[in-house]
Amino acid sequence: MKDTLLLPQTEFAMRANLYENEKHSFDEFSKYAYKLISSKKASTFILHDGPPYANGHLHVGHAINKILKDMINKTEYFLNNKSIHYTAGWDCHGLPIEQQVEIKLKDTNPSIKQIHDACTAHAKEFVQIQKKEFQDLGIIADFDNPYLTMDFKFEANIYKCLLEVAKNSLLIQRQKPVYWSWAAKSALAEAEVEYQDKQDYSIFVAFKLNDDAKNKLKSLNIADEVLNNARAVIWTTTPWTLPANQAIALNKDEEYIISKNGLIVAKKRVQDLSEFNLEEIASFKGDFLENTHAINPLNNRLSKLIVGEHVTMDGGSGLVHTAPGHGEDDYYVCLKYNIPVIMPVDDGGCYDESILELVPKQNLKGMHIFKANEVILELLGDALLKQSTFIHSYPFCWRTHKPVIYRATKQFFIAMDKKFYNNMSLRELALSEIDKINFYPQSGKNRLKTMIENRPDWCISRQRSWGVPLAFFLDENNELIMDYELYEHLASLFEKEGVRIWWQKEIKDLLPQNCKYDANKLSKVNDILDVWFDSGSTFACVLDSGNYGIKAKQASMYLEGSDQHRGWFQSSLLLSCIINKQAPYKSVLTHGFTVDKNGRKMSKSLGNVIAPSDIAKKYGIEILRLYIASSDYSSDIKLGEDILNQASEQYRKIRNTIRFLLANTNDLEKMCYEFSELDLLFLNKADEVFKLCKKSFLEYDFAKGINALATFLSADLSGIYLDVCKDSLYCDAKNSTNRMASQSAMVLILQKLFIYLAPILTHTINEAFKVANKLVTKNVENIFMLTEDEINVKKSSFEYEKLVEFRQDFYEQIDILKKDKKIKSTLELAVISSNEEMNSFKENCKFLNISAFCKSDLDFVKIAEFKQGFIAYAKDCKCPRCWRYLSKDENSLCLRCSEAIK
């Protein structure tokens, strides 16, 4: 009898063998897929690629970022009928590459040309490596024409963006303390600073009062012996900055006391400083001593007593040591008093020659500031009232991983608060644009807004050579020449020969013919642009330039890790607001970081790093893609062996469901739409799930959509429908209406599955598509040509949940009967129930996998009771072909099987 059954057949293997098959499949994608998804449709979805840095192999964070982008692009293509513009890009300038090259060339005393050539070669090498690694992840993008920030045209466009900043009068140059990496010998932007624990000194130092301050205190009737010993007590955690002290700041609204032993502190700090024996003899407001002076015990220089709102009472003494060259608050408060900046620290973090005057007691020239702390403490002598150490969060350079300092240098800044457009500042315009942007998750809006509200002016200059120069000329008085016609000529040279000519050519060769300037009287600015300026200007260089197959002012989406609120999202927003007076993106999506199964950050030292290539070899990239889709990527994403094994099991269930559908629709020759109530029931359920899935996917909530879909495939489709259809699929005549209708329902569901799973499991769906029935593929060549059709069938007259509840109640009792060995198969059974829904459902036997269903017992032998009825043995005999108990005797076929094999 077995040879008369219509058993399923498919070339779609049960075992995926993902690693081997993916490599071939992804190579195939790269040949045609981007051309297809970027073909013109009604509208275009532009996902602008945040450039990874061209230095080193990819880590799993890169993989998650690019896979998310890929899933969103494909979702917009398959489910939103949009063409896709997605140009892959790389950030090629900057310190890490330059440092790597310097290490390689350290024994050769290289020229700038040699450094630039080596940096270019290094970046090119890793662009090719990373490009291949991204393609191995199944990413579809324009990899044939990627954007590289070191390409000559690109460099010229970055420079043109700088000129636009200057034309909008937002480029300023001033001496100001900035984050300074002494290890990299360069200024840092806010985004290049990370915080780590660091041990520092905590010291209280007494500054004797000058006569003008003592005379002011006389009005408080303080005894001479107290006045003669009067000292302002400052607190600091950076003893090395004391040589550059210019002032002591107090809070004008707070009360201060002078004690019997002459010490001056804030009244609110007295209790915490009781060890100083602070017996109050007089008090005064913080501005009482304003514009008088104390004396620095290191050098006897005068230190002006001033007031500032930044002085708080939550620690220290309430009097703040103020060195305007070493702190932003210090700098701004000293500006109000016209107090000059002192800067005795060189680029490498060592004291320069000016320290000899500031600390005459000992030669500190050439000593690193952090090593000088102990020397300074010793030189303070009796003025040092107390010293201790403590651990606190301190800024570090995220490139060199060394602690940074505040150091005043002459730098270029983009002004945040200067009015420049419709009476708005850059800060105000950027904040107004944020309100127009869609954020995923929504919390990203407040995060970016807060950062823009609080950020200082943007320091865009760096003291390195591998990057785009701030290519401006200085006249003989060392003043900037702002001649835009001259600089447009320079931009045209950069476009042809690259920005390296700024260093390699003489000034006379950079000027236009018949130039009005004398090259002999000019000099160059030799700083380069912050790399965040490079990447922040990519909206103009890629989208607005027309050089990469698109012409647009805004991207549909920027998508990066949540750390880019302080980085790329911010730099791009600011530059776009300057140049285009609008945000560069309509939406921003962020994802968390990758951590191990215990929530720990992945690091080589912990041995918990998982490389994308290792995941590919052991599991297959499809497993990683499925796991990412199933995760709440807005928070940190846990990754480990157990987690990937669970994803593998989910993948296996999905693959087996697809395999069943392929195998059982293999011989369908034409569609049949005479659906039974059972078919309609599950088509309606499928339609409901696919609509939920579509809504979730288009809101980029992949976890909600894929989990709903996976539940449907496992519990509803495989667990019920496909199971109950086996009888008809295997035993009905090939062209029977029932069988063809069920097959047609499966075709409709399979087409939807292909569309909805293609963004996530692209390789698997492509593999399935190749062996699918032409009715499924609609005779198109590949999955990217398949279009979505709605499941337009009438509504079932039955309530799905009620029928499923009945089935579940029934099968709970079946489990007991099988365990007690009373039955082997449900086909042996009949069900007796007065349930109206089930009685009117004509396919109740098929739905329950039984042989009979009736309202009254009709002499059946009952063997069990369940919530909604009785279970009995079927009366008829077992059909030797379909095994249902519908035959008159054991050797005869049932009526259906007799008809089927004619």
Side-chain angles (χ1 to χ4, degrees):
M1 288 287 107
K2 186 176 180 180
D3 57 355
T4 69
L5 298 176
L6 299 171
L7 296 177
Q9 290 184 342
T10 181
E11 295 174 35
F12 188 68
M14 183 179 293
R15 291 184 60 83
N17 193 18
L18 284 175
Y19 178 58
E20 292 301 323
N21 290 336
E22 281 173 345
K23 287 190 293 186
H24 170 71
S25 180
F26 293 157
D27 287 343
E28 184 183 336
F29 289 161
S30 64
K31 292 176 184 175
Y32 65 77
Y34 187 73
K35 289 180 181 178
L36 286 173
I37 69 172
S38 61
S39 58
K40 294 297 179 186
K41 289 189 178 181
S43 60
T44 301
F45 181 80
I46 306 169
L47 202 165
H48 183 43
D49 193 25
Y53 198 63
N55 187 34
H57 289 270
L58 299 184
H59 53 69
V60 75
H62 287 121
I64 286 173
N65 176 265
K66 278 293 196 290
I67 286 169
L68 261 177
K69 289 174 180 175
D70 191 62
M71 290 195 302
I72 285 174
N73 277 332
K74 290 170 183 171
T75 295
E76 291 289 343
Y77 175 79
F78 281 110
L79 300 183
N80 220 9
N81 197 33
K82 290 188 177 181
S83 60
I84 303 302
H85 179 84
Y86 181 50
T87 300
W90 275 271
D91 216 343
C92 303
H93 293 135
L95 183 62
I97 289 175
E98 191 171 356
Q99 284 181 326
Q100 289 289 319
V101 163
E102 285 175 348
I103 292 169
K104 290 179 185 176
L105 302 177
K106 66 180 178 180
D107 298 325
T108 63
N109 191 25
S111 65
I112 284 185
K113 182 182 185 305
Q114 287 174 313
I115 290 173
H116 285 173
D117 288 346
C119 287
T120 302
H122 183 96
K124 278 184 177 178
E125 176 189 356
F126 281 100
V127 165
Q128 292 306 314
I129 288 170
Q130 291 185 8
K131 183 192 291 188
K132 177 65 169 64
E133 289 174 338
F134 281 135
Q135 289 174 316
D136 286 347
L137 295 174
I139 308 303
I140 293 175
D142 188 355
F143 286 113
D144 292 335
N145 186 33
Y147 75 84
L148 309 179
T149 59
M150 67 180 180
D151 284 348
F152 292 173
K153 275 188 179 180
F154 209 103
E155 290 178 331
N157 280 327
I158 294 170
Y159 178 64
K160 287 177 184 177
C161 288
L162 173 64
L163 297 182
E164 288 300 314
V165 173
K167 288 175 184 176
N168 279 277
S169 303
L170 293 179
L171 185 67
I172 55 178
Q173 191 182 25
R174 63 169 181 259
Q175 178 101 343
K176 178 181 179 292
V178 294
Y179 283 123
W180 184 268
S181 173
W182 51 266
K185 295 185 178 180
S186 179
L188 299 178
E190 193 97 10
E192 294 174 300
V193 172
E194 60 187 14
Y195 285 82
Q196 299 178 26
D197 285 345
K198 180 177 182 290
Q199 180 173 290
D200 272 319
Y201 284 99
S202 168
I203 65 170
F204 290 86
V205 182
F207 280 49
K208 290 181 179 179
L209 292 193
N210 192 47
D211 289 344
D212 57 354
K214 291 177 184 177
N215 290 335
K216 197 79 186 285
L217 286 172
K218 273 186 180 180
S219 63
L220 300 179
N221 297 319
I222 298 170
D224 287 345
E225 62 267 26
V226 176
L227 284 177
N228 290 335
N229 196 34
R231 292 162 291 164
V233 179
I234 65 97
W235 173 75
T236 183
T237 61
T238 53
W240 62 268
T241 65
L242 284 171
N245 174 275
Q246 288 284 70
I248 297 172
L250 298 82
N251 189 314
K252 66 182 178 65
D253 298 319
E254 294 291 342
E255 284 282 322
Y256 288 78
I257 67 107
I258 182 168
S259 66
K260 192 173 182 180
N261 57 8
L263 299 180
I264 296 172
V265 299
K267 199 163 196 171
K268 288 180 180 176
R269 301 300 304 146
V270 169
Q271 187 174 347
D272 289 338
L273 302 175
S274 58
E275 62 193 292
F276 295 156
N277 300 315
L278 299 171
E279 184 181 337
E280 179 184 334
I281 60 169
S283 67
F284 51 89
K285 282 285 189 181
D287 57 358
F288 179 71
L289 292 176
E290 187 177 12
N291 292 318
T292 63
H293 296 83
I295 301 168
N296 189 334
L298 281 176
N299 49 30
N300 293 323
R301 290 170 57 90
L302 292 180
S303 181
K304 182 175 279 193
L305 294 165
I306 61 177
V307 297
E309 294 177 0
H310 67 289
V311 180
T312 62
M313 299 295 120
D314 55 359
S317 64
L319 292 90
V320 176
H321 149 59
T322 302
H326 291 301
E328 192 156 14
D329 287 334
D330 302 35
Y331 170 78
Y332 283 115
V333 73
C334 285
L335 267 183
K336 296 177 184 177
Y337 290 89
N338 293 316
I339 297 172
V341 171
I342 295 176
M343 178 41 58
V345 181
D346 67 16
D347 290 359
C350 297
Y351 287 124
D352 63 19
E353 193 164 345
S354 65
I355 197 68
L356 298 176
E357 184 180 341
L358 295 173
V359 184
K361 299 176 185 178
Q362 188 165 335
N363 186 354
L364 299 180
K365 181 183 174 184
M367 181 177 284
H368 194 280
I369 52 172
F370 291 156
K371 290 182 179 178
N373 278 328
E374 289 76 13
V375 181
I376 297 291
L377 295 180
E378 189 175 335
L379 291 173
L380 286 170
D382 293 342
L384 181 61
L385 299 178
K386 181 186 177 182
Q387 76 173 69
S388 59
T389 59
F390 74 115
I391 293 174
H392 65 145
S393 181
Y394 188 89
F396 277 66
C397 171
W398 78 340
R399 303 289 193 195
T400 64
H401 305 294
K402 300 290 185 184
V404 303
I405 60 174
Y406 257 112
R407 177 174 179 265
T409 56
K410 201 166 188 180
Q411 301 288 347
F412 286 88
F413 296 85
I414 293 177
M416 291 296 297
D417 296 308
K418 185 177 180 182
K419 305 290 185 184
F420 83 109
Y421 174 71
N422 286 348
N423 201 34
M424 283 192 291
S425 67
L426 178 56
R427 191 187 312 277
E428 289 166 337
L429 178 56
L431 290 172
S432 68
E433 284 298 300
I434 288 173
D435 288 331
K436 303 173 186 176
I437 298 162
N438 293 316
F439 286 86
Y440 306 91
Q442 183 63 27
S443 59
K445 178 178 182 177
N446 287 335
R447 189 172 183 195
L448 183 57
K449 207 165 192 175
T450 300
M451 288 182 170
I452 294 293
E453 285 170 346
N454 297 321
R455 74 160 295 144
D457 292 343
W458 179 6
C459 178
I460 61 169
S461 49
R462 298 291 181 271
Q463 289 64 54
R464 306 294 298 183
S465 68
W466 177 235
V468 176
L470 281 116
F472 296 120
F473 293 111
L474 303 168
D475 63 19
E476 62 265 41
N477 297 317
N478 221 30
E479 295 293 326
L480 276 176
I481 293 172
M482 295 312 293
D483 184 329
Y484 296 113
E485 190 175 331
L486 171 62
Y487 295 137
E488 289 293 341
H489 168 75
L490 203 52
S492 68
L493 294 181
F494 290 164
E495 189 167 326
K496 295 170 190 168
E497 302 177 66
V499 295
R500 63 190 62 191
I501 62 171
W502 181 249
W503 289 274
Q504 295 172 13
K505 287 191 174 185
E506 295 182 23
I507 290 175
K508 65 182 178 64
D509 298 321
L510 296 171
L511 300 178
Q513 288 184 346
N514 304 318
C515 181
K516 62 184 177 182
Y517 300 102
D518 182 350
N520 296 317
K521 294 181 180 179
L522 300 181
S523 58
K524 300 175 185 175
V525 172
N526 280 320
D527 293 345
I528 64 167
L529 282 165
D530 169 16
V531 288
W532 290 110
F533 193 104
D534 279 28
S535 58
S537 60
T538 56
F539 70 90
C541 304
V542 177
L543 305 182
D544 207 9
S545 69
N547 293 334
Y548 295 90
I550 196 76
K551 183 73 175 170
K553 297 287 185 187
Q554 280 187 317
S556 307
M557 177 177 285
Y558 275 32
L559 188 167
E560 299 300 328
S562 55
D563 59 330
Q564 294 306 320
H565 288 106
R566 69 171 186 163
W568 190 54
F569 298 149
Q570 200 173 142
S571 62
S572 300
L573 174 65
L574 295 178
L575 287 177
S576 182
C577 282
I578 294 169
I579 296 168
N580 291 331
K581 311 302 184 284
Q582 65 177 11
Y585 37 71
K586 296 175 184 176
S587 62
V588 167
L589 187 146
T590 53
H591 59 82
F593 300 105
T594 312
V595 295
D596 68 14
K597 64 180 181 180
N598 299 314
R600 298 177 304 174
K601 183 179 178 181
M602 288 191 172
S603 70
K604 291 180 180 177
S605 61
L606 290 174
N608 60 353
V609 173
I610 305 176
S613 56
D614 292 338
I615 294 173
K617 288 173 186 174
K618 186 168 183 179
Y619 298 97
I621 291 301
E622 294 285 82
I623 304 303
L624 180 59
R625 293 177 69 97
L626 180 59
Y627 174 64
I628 293 168
S630 306
S631 303
D632 177 10
Y633 57 77
S634 64
S635 58
D636 287 347
I637 302 169
K638 291 184 177 180
L639 204 59
E641 297 283 332
D642 294 344
I643 290 166
L644 290 169
N645 284 331
Q646 290 171 13
S648 296
E649 180 59 24
Q650 186 181 32
Y651 172 82
R652 187 187 63 78
K653 291 177 181 178
I654 292 172
R655 185 179 181 91
N656 284 346
T657 301
I658 292 171
R659 186 171 185 271
F660 184 97
L661 290 168
L662 290 170
N664 284 284
T665 54
N666 187 55
D667 65 356
L668 182 64
E669 295 171 355
K670 64 177 182 177
M671 295 291 282
C672 173
Y673 298 102
E674 296 180 43
F675 298 119
S676 69
E677 281 291 353
L678 182 66
D679 296 328
L680 288 177
L681 194 69
F682 281 89
L683 283 172
N684 291 168
K685 179 64 178 176
D687 190 45
E688 175 190 318
V689 171
F690 284 124
K691 283 176 178 173
L692 168 64
C693 191
K694 185 171 189 172
K695 182 177 184 296
S696 300
F697 279 13
L698 290 176
E699 291 171 352
Y700 314 123
D701 188 350
F702 291 105
K704 184 177 180 180
I706 198 66
N707 290 332
L709 193 56
T711 299
F712 169 70
L713 293 181
S714 177
D716 301 292
L717 198 62
S718 294
I720 304 177
Y721 184 61
L722 302 184
D723 184 48
V724 302
C725 284
K726 286 178 184 176
D727 176 71
S728 177
L729 292 170
Y730 301 171
C731 301
D732 282 0
K734 179 184 175 184
N735 294 321
S736 71
T737 299
N738 279 345
R739 184 174 188 271
M740 289 177 63
S742 292
Q743 285 180 303
S744 298
M746 291 176 194
V747 165
L748 296 178
I749 291 171
L750 193 52
Q751 286 172 341
K752 284 280 192 178
L753 273 180
F754 279 0
I755 291 287
Y756 281 75
L757 288 175
I760 298 164
L761 302 175
T762 315
H763 158 72
T764 302
I765 299 306
N766 188 58
E767 181 190 354
F769 188 91
K770 289 178 181 178
V771 298
N773 188 313
K774 296 299 182 185
L775 293 170
V776 176
T777 64
K778 302 178 187 177
N779 282 313
V780 297
E781 292 179 19
N782 61 66
I783 185 62
F784 294 97
M785 294 178 177
L786 190 64
T787 55
E788 182 185 15
D789 292 326
E790 294 303 316
I791 299 178
N792 289 319
V793 297
K794 69 177 183 179
K795 290 291 180 185
S796 169
S797 55
F798 293 91
E799 291 187 42
Y800 181 82
E801 284 73 21
K802 286 185 177 180
L803 294 179
V804 169
E805 182 185 357
F806 188 100
R807 192 176 193 274
Q808 287 172 342
D809 291 345
F810 168 70
Y811 271 89
E812 282 179 13
Q813 190 60 44
I814 292 301
D815 289 340
I816 297 171
L817 292 173
K818 285 184 176 180
K819 187 177 179 182
D820 293 342
K821 297 184 178 179
K822 291 185 177 180
I823 63 166
K824 291 181 180 179
S825 165
T826 54
L827 293 177
E828 303 171 36
L829 303 175
V831 168
I832 305 153
S833 173
S834 58
N835 181 288
E836 291 298 330
E837 189 85 4
M838 190 57 79
N839 265 286
S840 56
F841 186 53
K842 293 179 182 177
E843 293 176 283
N844 45 31
C845 288
K846 189 174 182 179
F847 186 68
L848 297 176
N849 269 332
I850 57 176
S851 292
F853 189 103
C854 56
K855 197 169 186 177
S856 55
D857 56 28
L858 298 174
D859 300 326
F860 282 101
V861 178
K862 298 174 185 175
I863 57 172
E865 186 177 1
F866 67 108
K867 290 179 185 177
Q868 303 188 53
F870 296 94
I871 299 171
Y873 287 121
K875 290 181 178 180
D876 295 326
C877 295
K878 181 180 179 181
C879 172
R881 183 170 180 268
C882 70
W883 298 359
R884 290 194 299 174
Y885 283 67
L886 296 174
S887 297
K888 293 179 180 178
D889 58 66
E890 291 181 358
N891 298 316
S892 301
L893 296 178
C894 66
L895 183 60
R896 185 272 309 264
C897 286
S898 298
E899 293 292 325
I901 63 173
K902 281 182 180 178

